[in-house]
Amino acid sequence: AVVALMATTQAANPATAGIGGSITQEGINNAKNVVTPYVFKFLKDIKIPEIDITDGKFTNLDIHIPQPDLDNVNMKLDSSNNGLELVASGLTTTMTSDFVFKYIISVTGQADITVKNMGVDVELGLHTQAGTPASELAPKLTVVKSAITINPADVDIKLTGGFVSKIANVLIPLIKSSLIPSIVTTIDSTVKTMVETTIDEDLQKYGNQILVPFLAGVTFDYSQYNNGPQVANGVLSMNLNGTSFDASQPISGKFTPSKFPSRNPDGKSAQGFLTDYVLNTAFEAGYKTGNTLNITAILGKFLNLTVTTDNMGIVIPEILTKYVSGKPVAISGAFVKAPSTAQFT
């Protein structure tokens, strides 16, 4: 793998953050094409083993909530809950289920349910928790709101199986009045459990540091600073550690990040800030590891660039004489005598 996740036991805690950024409400609206697929990745396929209703039960429920058209999605920052809310409308959802229902006789069959114009309203609170190592802060999400709205008039139901015609006029109203609300409650509970256990546990474990093999095997620390994500005055801001280090050696403390505001009020809707501390600790850590720097992987990861003999032939024409055109070229390097340094002014 180009990037491998690994929790380390070494803390890297400079006095101030090395990286910062912010985004306004306008920027959040433009970012919905990134956030929406992430949210609906968890909603697109929900399975419920069983839901009981009066005189019957539904089993093996399979619910599909596809990503809606982005024109039907709105996102907004909520400073009162330090959160981010996503509201989607006009969704078409399909559900299938086996059922057993007793009405004079016991009938088994399958229900195919289509819901039109469904609405989804999900808000996540943005917080922090003890990370890995525990001395650092990792992101944490809470479910402030998880609401699904369904109008019974927008629910179409098809029943298949023996004798379903005998119970359809009784079961279909029950599906709309009892099963659908139970499904909504179960989905709300599923979302809350998924966010506050599965996702938050991953954030606690992996939300602080990452081992980057192609950067000479250094560890990069991106733990939260300044109390984590903050939503205020229509702006979401965040500051991160930004230290790179060799996990097998003590951190020198030679470099100190400059203080900077997380937002320039005259700047763009989305802003990012990087101090020379981030680069200098990366150079120092790469030098300390003594490992080879995989420049090919760096170019591919960050610039989506594959170096070929044609590219290298511009600098070294003899390469095209010896090798054919279009052949990939692997480039590596190492800090030999001392790490490089950077200085921003």
Side-chain angles (χ1 to χ4, degrees), residues 53-55 58 99 101-105 107 157-160 162-177:
I53 65 170
T54 303
D55 298 321
F58 288 80
F99 70 84
F101 184 69
K102 185 175 182 180
Y103 181 69
I104 303 177
I105 60 172
V107 178
I157 301 168
K158 179 183 178 181
L159 304 178
T160 55
F163 302 105
V164 293
S165 60
K166 305 292 185 183
I167 50 94
N169 62 332
V170 177
L171 183 56
I172 288 177
L174 269 176
I175 290 176
K176 293 185 178 184
S177 63

Side-chain angles (χ1 to χ4, degrees), residues 108-119:
T108 62
Q110 185 180 59
D112 294 287
I113 305 169
T114 301
V115 179
K116 300 176 181 178
N117 298 316
M118 187 176 81

Side-chain angles (χ1 to χ4, degrees), residues 66-69 72-73 88-93 115-120 149:
Q67 178 185 316
D69 189 301
N72 295 330
V73 176
S89 59
L91 284 82
T92 298
T93 303
V115 179
K116 300 176 181 178
N117 298 316
M118 187 176 81
V120 173
T149 55

